[in-house]
């Protein structure tokens, strides 16, 4: 238990420093992008007859830091707001805090990507085991080929193919927006059914795009485990094939749990093209819109949220691997 606590404390400290570094880099990059919206808004308010001090204060309320101060003062105000979870106010959505916009968009990204990732993981792991065990037969070849093909097709190509097939040629599923506007939002059958129906194609796209990687990774891991001494010893002792199969799967799947945790960390940033194609109002589409609207506060907040999710995923992956693999704990105890 103390090992896990020590590792957690170290990871949290490093993660906090990394978030501050990313926030710093984002701040200076955004402040050096041509066409600073803060300066443009400040000049427009002054041209409208507002006093320079009042204009500066109005822009500070909008962005979270003083646009007319020195760069160091702006940076200090920005980091001070960040420590209080204040990311400023969105320009494209006047008066709306960036954190509220990101929270609203995140709920449309997390669930479809989470369902698609877990579905592809479960199916890919099971079929990957069979692909390794039956690797000399037609079934193993077919599974390996399917994994290679789907792994090599970009997400946006899969999304477009699914739209063409299931929304155009065979129009059985919607491919635009998260829900039908005819239904009133709430916990009712019509609205929930429409949510599920609109989520099918994005979820299937996520699942198919990740399936190939899981099949190939699990097959490779199982083939490696098949050559270990403990598998040979189990077979020589005459253990049932089902028990040997369980040994193989349990040991081969350990590295994939780390990959799964890291994949979940990319939930918030890995859906840009899919959300654009399906017009799904998640973080990916929000990031594109913030770039088009030159909403730098929203853009910086989205980058920071994606970075924080990846850092948290790395921490969870390391701790999870420590818990499920006793060899890691015993190795640390010996040092």
């Amino acid at each position: 238990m103390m090992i896990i606590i020590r590792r957690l404390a170290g990871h949290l400290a490093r993660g906090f420093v990394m978030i501050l570094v990313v926030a710093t880099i984002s701040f200076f990059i955004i402040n050096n992008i041509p066409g600073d919206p803060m300066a443009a808004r400040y000049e427009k308010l002054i041209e409208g007859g507002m006093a320079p001090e009042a204009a500066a204060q109005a822009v500070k309320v909008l962005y979270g830091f003083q646009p007319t101060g020195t760069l160091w003062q702006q940076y200090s105000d920005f980091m001070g707001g960040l420590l209080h979870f204040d990311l400023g106010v969105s320009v494209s959505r006047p008066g709306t805090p960036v954190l509220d916009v990101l929270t609203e968009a995140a709920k449309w990204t997390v669930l479809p990507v989470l369902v698609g990732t877990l579905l592809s993981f479960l199916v890919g792991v099971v079929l990957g085991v069979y692909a390794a065990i039956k690797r000399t037969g037609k079934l193993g070849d077919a599974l390996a080929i399917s994994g290679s093909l789907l792994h090599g097709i970009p997400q946006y190509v899969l999304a477009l193919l699914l739209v063409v097939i299931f929304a155009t040629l065979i129009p059985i599923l919607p491919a635009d927006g998260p829900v039908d506007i005819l239904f009133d939002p709430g916990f009712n059958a019509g609205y929930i059914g429409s949510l599920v129906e609109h989520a099918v194609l994005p979820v299937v796209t996520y699942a198919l795009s990740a399936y190939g990687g899981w099949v190939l990774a699990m097959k490779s891991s199982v083939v490696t485990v098949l050559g270990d001494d403990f598998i040979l010893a189990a077979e020589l002792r005459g253990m049932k094939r089902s028990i040997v199969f369980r040994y193989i799967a349990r040991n081969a799947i350990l590295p994939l749990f780390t990959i799964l945790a890291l994949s979940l960390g990319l939930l918030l940033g890995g859906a840009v093209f899919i959300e654009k194609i399906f017009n799904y109002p998640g973080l990916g589409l929000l990031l594109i819109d913030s770039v088009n609207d030159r909403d730098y506060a929203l853009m910086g907040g989205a980058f920071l949220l994606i970075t924080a999710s990846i850092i948290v995923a790395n921490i969870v992956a390391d701790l999870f691997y420590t818990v499920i693999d006793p060899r890691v704990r015993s190795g640390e105890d010996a040092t």
Side-chain angles (χ1 to χ4, degrees):
M1 188 64 181
M2 288 302 298
I3 293 175
I4 297 177
I5 293 175
R6 285 199 303 268
R7 292 177 74 97
L8 178 60
H11 283 311
L12 289 177
R14 288 191 293 271
F16 180 74
V17 172
M18 290 177 66
I19 290 175
L20 292 182
V21 170
V22 171
T24 299
I25 294 173
S26 300
F27 173 83
F28 285 106
I29 289 177
I30 289 174
N31 269 269
N32 283 281
I33 294 177
D36 187 354
M38 291 185 299
R41 181 61 61 91
Y42 176 72
E43 294 294 337
K44 187 173 182 179
L45 291 176
I46 291 180
E47 290 174 1
M50 187 176 289
E53 295 80 8
Q57 186 60 34
V59 178
K60 179 179 180 180
V61 170
L62 185 62
Y63 286 93
F65 52 90
Q66 194 77 29
T68 56
T70 64
L71 190 61
W72 174 249
Q73 289 173 332
Q74 294 181 35
Y75 173 71
S76 299
D77 290 342
F78 171 75
M79 296 303 290
L82 181 61
L83 293 175
H84 292 87
F85 299 99
D86 181 7
L87 301 175
V89 179
S90 172
V91 176
S92 55
R93 297 164 176 78
T96 307
V98 168
L99 190 60
D100 292 348
V101 178
L102 294 175
T103 303
E104 176 65 23
K107 70 181 184 181
W108 292 107
T109 294
V110 170
L111 191 58
V113 182
L114 180 63
V115 172
T117 301
L118 293 179
L119 181 63
S120 66
F121 176 76
L122 294 174
V123 175
V125 163
V126 173
L127 296 183
V129 174
Y130 281 100
I133 294 176
K134 306 289 186 180
R135 62 188 181 279
T136 57
K138 293 183 179 180
L139 177 60
D141 289 340
L143 292 174
I145 291 173
S146 69
S148 299
L149 287 175
L150 289 174
H151 187 59
I153 300 177
Q155 279 188 341
Y156 64 89
V157 174
L158 281 174
L160 290 174
L161 286 174
L162 291 175
V163 169
V164 170
I165 295 172
F166 296 106
T168 304
L169 298 178
I170 312 173
I172 57 175
L173 291 171
D176 185 48
V179 67
D180 197 319
I181 60 174
L182 298 177
F183 297 102
D184 295 326
F187 194 75
N188 57 78
Y191 183 75
I192 294 174
S194 181
L195 284 175
V196 173
E197 189 179 29
H198 280 75
V200 169
L201 287 182
V203 167
V204 172
T205 303
Y206 294 131
L208 289 178
S209 63
Y211 157 82
W214 294 123
V215 168
L216 297 177
M218 191 62 184
K219 178 186 176 183
S220 176
S221 185
V222 169
V223 170
T224 302
V225 172
L226 284 173
D228 288 345
D229 293 337
F230 74 93
I231 296 297
L232 179 59
E235 292 176 341
L236 292 175
R237 288 199 301 268
M239 284 190 176
K240 292 182 179 179
R241 190 166 184 84
S242 60
I243 298 177
V244 176
F245 182 84
R246 198 157 57 240
Y247 278 177
I248 294 171
R250 189 169 58 187
N251 284 272
I253 202 173
L254 287 177
L256 271 70
F257 276 119
T258 302
I259 302 174
L260 175 62
L262 296 177
S263 299
L264 295 179
L266 297 173
L267 287 179
L268 301 181
V272 175
F273 296 112
I274 294 178
E275 289 184 356
K276 182 65 176 177
I277 291 172
F278 293 109
N279 195 28
Y280 222 71
L283 281 170
L285 186 60
L286 180 69
L287 186 57
I288 294 176
D289 291 341
S290 68
V291 174
N292 293 333
D293 297 334
R294 304 177 73 86
D295 193 340
Y296 294 155
L298 187 56
M299 192 192 312
F303 285 145
L304 194 60
L305 180 60
I306 293 170
T307 301
S309 68
I310 295 174
I311 291 172
V312 171
N314 275 274
I315 294 174
V316 172
D318 186 82
L319 295 177
F320 188 63
Y321 202 76
T322 303
V323 171
I324 64 175
D325 193 347
R327 293 171 295 184
V328 176
R329 297 194 298 274
S330 61
E332 292 208 358
D333 287 335
T335 56

